[in-house]
Amino acid sequence: MPLHLGPFVRWRSGLVWICLFSSGFTVIGGEHAATVTHPLPAAFSDLLPHFLLEPDDVYIVKNKPVTLTCRSTPATQIYFKCNSEWVHQDQHLIEHDVDPATGLPVMQVKIDISRQQVEKIFGLEDYWCQCVAWSTTGTQKSQKAYVRIAYLRKNFEEEPLGKEVALDQEVLLRCHPPEGVPPAEVEWQRNEELIDPKTDPNFFITVDHNLIIKQARLADTGNYTCVAKNIVARRKSSSATVIVYVNGGWSTWATWSACSAICGRGWQKRNRSCTNPTPLNGGTSCEGQSVQKSACTATCPVDGGWSEWSKWSPCGADCIMWRSRECTQPTPSTSGKDCQGLDLQSLNCTSEQCPQTASGAEDVALYVGIVAVALCLTLLLIVLVLVYRRKKEGLDADVADSSILTTGFQPMGIKPTKPENSHLLTIQPDLTTTTTSYQGTLRSRHEITGKFSLSNGPLLEPLPNGSHTLHNGKLPSDPNDFMNRLSSQTYFKTLPRDNVNTSYGTFNFLGGRLTLPNTGISLLIPPEAIPRGKIYEIYLTIQKKEDMRLPLAGCQTLLSPVVSCGPPGVVLTRPVILTMDHCSDACLENWAIRLKKQSYEGTWEDVLQLGEEVVSDPYYCQLEAETCRVFTEQLGRFALVGESLSMAAAKRLKLLLFGPAYCSTLEYNIRIYCMDDTQDLLKEVMQMERQMGGRLIDEPHVLLFKDSYHNLRLSIHDMPQAHWRSKLLTGYQEIPFYHIWSGSQQTLHCTFTLERQSLSTCDLTCTLCVWQVEGEGQSFTLDFNISKDIRPLDSDFLLMDNCTPALAGPSAFQIPYLIRQKICSSLDTPCPNGADWRLLAQRLKLDRHMSFFASKASPTSVILDLWETQHFHSGNLNQLAAVMAEIGKQEAMIFLVSDGEC
């Protein structure tokens, strides 16, 4: 039975709380507990309690309990209640004290709250506690203190993402921290270092925790991390990589270089670099060309020429008269040579003209001197005659009869316009000979050893019988024996043992020609290129591209076949001319084309860059629309490599369409080859398809393939659906860009498998589309019968070159040997009016190579060599004679021989 002590009684769970305010004490009871307080002094009995310390919100971390504290004055009692229920008295820790300033009693109470207490009502409502203080006047309640369980989840609701941004661009990195109690604070790190917007105002952290970089700097490149933390834990987001890139910008153009030619038409260029600014961190490179080329014309040097001698002066007192001349016809200009010789000449007067002075002794001395001079001249004449006869004997040792010097002489039915010039036919053909062949050995009479000597480089051993005989200009040697001896030497172990793609021959000073039929590859050995008295075994062959991996980098691509000629190290006195196809679009503004040569060690070296030739180098290259001609004084292994300077650079591709010659099944395969537009690859594909039983079903097509990094796409459309269907699962096929651009894979092709509905269906009509992705393309209409086709499109239709692989001596040339010498002696000497080799180069449209020709001892012979390579199959001596007539050289009339005279 609870004790009734006052006006307020509260029962709960067997406990009695009794507060008696009127009598000045309180009893809080249970079964055995009661507390009685002393009344307040009368002076403070009318004061309400106020709180000196109120409980604050707290968080339970893990399993650690929290303590709530409350202090009030003046108070007679002070207790906590949580979630509207009084806390048991045993859970209170109460302390009494007196305020020294006012003398009022001060009471402080503390309670501990555990995680279990809070979890009992977790999810229903917040757990809160409130402090209640009593005095004789009344009660006061403190603020509510909320007790929460602290946590921080592991996963961010939104993590920052990496970005690539341009310089000075604004960057926004988002971050939404994990859910937590209390809410997590957010900070940002760059490369594990704290970002402080106060010290670096370029950073700004928004109220929703996002990071803003106001103007991206290069130094702002790095890994950014969002860090969330509260009293429980610290979490890090995944790093976001921010890359600040710089797009490249062109510098200003440099000044134009000097003209590449020292005479005639040449090139000059200027450069700019992508350094304003330099692209960084993946920024785009500059668009456009880094090199500009412009045609220029250099004034040719004019060598000086003597004027006519003046009249002799009157005889002087010393019995001598004088005459003079001047170097004015023409005057040397543009670094031309001065006149050679004397500009002043003296002569003794005759006795009649000489003033009468001297005695007889002086006349005797004069006569003695004249006799001595006459004897000297006689001896000199005898020596010249002997030298001439010895040279003639040397020529007879190498040339058996005069027909070798005039073989290839072409008759012409055009008569001279002026009959009185018929006496100019200074060279007559040998009409006693009915053959154009040279019968006999090519060795000179002075060479009796079994081996031929060379001054540098390894050479082949001579043929077993010790002699080399030509019949009809062709070389009858055993191919297998020659290739075996080649491959036995160290340098030649990489040579292919394919006799089909190899030509070889034995040559002396008369020169000759090696040709690989149906490949566009030939080697011209001009007369006098091999020293007199030397005989060389020379070969020409194609290397397979898959066996000769050239080190290509960047935008480089192989533009020609890899050609070997040798043996390397032979001594040449003049450049030979190697001709081979190329597949560039021949637009030098878009290309940097280099000639590469393989060294003895096997490394590839740049020996020439087109447009930057130096006339003193042993290499020179003439680039035509589809052919390049390499002048070289050193034999070896060569290839043409191009590096694109812009995306406009293009390679010529040849597309070949093949199908089976006979088809007895419902399936019909169309094979489409995509290869570099060179004759050697065309020959290889033709031979391969012939072995496979294929036939060409359409004419070859040429496609320009640009350096745009896009693949080549092929598709077939517009088939009659009632009779044919494609078995291709996708709408098109693609050949990767690099496979084509590298040029190292020879037979790239794709196959379209079609199926006909019936074996009786033989007519096929469709459209083939070929294009470069995001570029231009072509479409071809195919209309043929798969069982028979009368169109002349067999492989033999494209392989018409049946020329002899090796020709030696005059039979290898259009221009007879002696006629060639006559032309060279006539045009090599500079003429004041320009009617010399320079005008010949202009008439033959070769004036862009004027500097190269001028660097040679005989410019005319080099021009004629180049003409020989260009017109070997279609050469017409009449046309060359017409050019000579235009120049004004009467020696050109030697070509104009009537049919009757021949």
Side-chain angles (χ1 to χ4, degrees), residues 206-361:
T206 64
V207 293
D208 50 354
H209 312 302
N210 298 328
L211 177 66
I212 294 178
I213 305 175
K214 299 177 182 178
Q215 287 185 321
R217 304 160 296 189
L218 287 176
D220 293 330
T221 298
N223 296 319
Y224 287 79
T225 308
C226 180
V227 180
K229 61 180 181 179
N230 64 5
I231 58 176
V232 179
R234 186 171 185 266
R235 312 288 189 202
K236 280 188 175 183
S237 69
S238 57
S239 295
T241 302
V242 174
I243 298 176
V244 181
Y245 61 84
V246 180
N247 292 327
W250 288 114
S251 64
T252 57
W253 286 104
T255 57
W256 288 101
S257 65
C259 192
S260 61
I262 61 175
C263 175
R265 185 174 179 271
W267 294 93
Q268 58 181 169
K269 67 177 183 178
R270 61 176 183 174
N271 301 310
R272 60 177 177 176
S273 57
C274 190
T275 56
N276 187 29
T278 302
L280 293 174
N281 297 336
T284 58
S285 298
C286 304
E287 294 184 358
Q289 300 179 2
S290 62
V291 179
Q292 273 189 348
K293 287 188 177 181
S294 176
C296 59
T297 302
T299 304
C300 296
V302 178
D303 296 337
W306 290 113
S307 64
E308 296 294 332
W309 285 103
S310 65
K311 294 182 179 181
W312 288 102
S313 66
C315 191
D318 53 356
C319 204
I320 294 177
M321 56 183 178
W322 303 85
R323 67 174 180 175
S324 64
R325 59 179 178 175
E326 296 180 349
C327 189
T328 58
Q329 292 187 359
T331 302
S333 62
T334 322
S335 302
K337 297 179 181 179
D338 290 331
C339 300
Q340 303 295 319
L342 299 175
D343 60 350
L344 191 64
Q345 195 177 53
S346 62
L347 184 66
N348 289 331
C349 303
T350 61
S351 58
E352 292 81 5
Q353 296 173 331
C354 186
Q356 299 298 322
T357 54
S359 61

Side-chain angles (χ1 to χ4, degrees), residues 351-386:
S351 58
E352 292 81 5
Q353 296 173 331
C354 186
Q356 299 298 322
T357 54
S359 61
E362 293 180 349
D363 292 339
V364 172
L366 175 63
Y367 295 145
V368 171
I370 293 175
V371 172
V373 170
L375 289 175
C376 291
L377 292 176
T378 302
L379 290 175
L380 180 60
L381 181 60
I382 294 172
V383 171
L384 291 176
V385 170
L386 291 176

Side-chain angles (χ1 to χ4, degrees), residues 105-174:
V106 177
M107 295 188 69
Q108 177 176 290
V109 63
K110 295 181 180 181
I111 61 172
D112 292 334
I113 307 296
S114 66
R115 184 185 184 99
Q116 291 75 12
Q117 291 176 263
V118 177
E119 287 178 342
K120 287 181 180 180
I121 62 168
F122 184 74
L124 301 177
E125 58 179 321
D126 289 336
Y127 190 94
W128 57 269
C129 293
Q130 191 176 36
C131 181
V132 181
W134 288 268
S135 71
T136 56
T137 307
T139 63
Q140 287 286 4
K141 295 180 180 179
S142 70
Q143 65 182 7
K144 290 182 179 180
Y146 289 90
V147 181
R148 298 181 175 90
I149 298 174
Y151 66 92
L152 183 62
R153 301 196 183 281
K154 292 183 179 181
N155 297 325
F156 281 75
E157 296 186 8
E158 184 178 8
E159 291 188 302
L161 301 176
K163 295 184 177 182
E164 294 184 0
V165 296
L167 189 69
D168 295 329
Q169 181 179 336
E170 182 181 273
V171 185
L172 173 63
L173 297 178
R174 297 183 178 277

Side-chain angles (χ1 to χ4, degrees), residues 174-206:
R174 297 183 178 277
C175 177
H176 195 170
E179 178 186 352
V181 175
E185 297 178 359
V186 173
E187 62 186 19
W188 285 85
Q189 292 180 348
R190 181 185 64 194
N191 298 332
E192 304 298 331
E193 294 183 0
L194 182 65
I195 295 176
D196 187 1
K198 294 181 180 178
T199 58
D200 190 348
N202 194 45
F203 293 104
F204 177 72
I205 301 177
T206 64

